[in-house]
Amino acid sequence: MQIVVDLTRCQAYAQCVFLAPQVFSLPGEEALLYRPAVPDDQLERVHQAAAACPVQAILVGEEVSSGAR
Ligand code: SF4
């Protein structure tokens, strides 16, 4: 499954890193890194991360195409 993080929205709160550390990481204090192609075993965690993001910066699955327009 594909995800996109809107990095202009992301405030590096790191909720997603905490919930899905295999997908999201914050190597510095500001720039979030993530894997756009999420492995199946991480889907549940990524959904939790998307729900937990305080600024709704994480777009998951079908939201990726609709959100990009
Ligand atoms: S939870 Fe949201 S704001 Fe926080 S680092 Fe992740 S994407 Fe960025």
Side-chain angles (χ1 to χ4, degrees):
M1 192 184 65
Q2 297 291 119
I3 61 168
V4 167
V5 178
D6 183 346
L7 294 176
T8 62
R9 261 196 225 180
C10 172
Q11 300 295 319
Y13 290 120
Q15 296 293 335
C16 57
V17 180
F18 179 71
L19 287 164
Q22 291 185 37
V23 176
F24 304 98
S25 62
L26 266 174
E29 287 293 306
E30 291 168 9
L32 180 77
L33 292 182
Y34 67 99
R35 292 161 70 178
V38 177
D40 285 348
D41 64 354
Q42 294 296 311
L43 287 181
E44 182 66 33
R45 286 172 171 272
V46 166
H47 278 293
Q48 288 175 0
C53 175
V55 293
Q56 281 94 50
I58 304 171
L59 300 178
V60 178
E62 292 165 9
E63 296 171 3
V64 170
S65 48
S66 59
R69 281 180 198 144

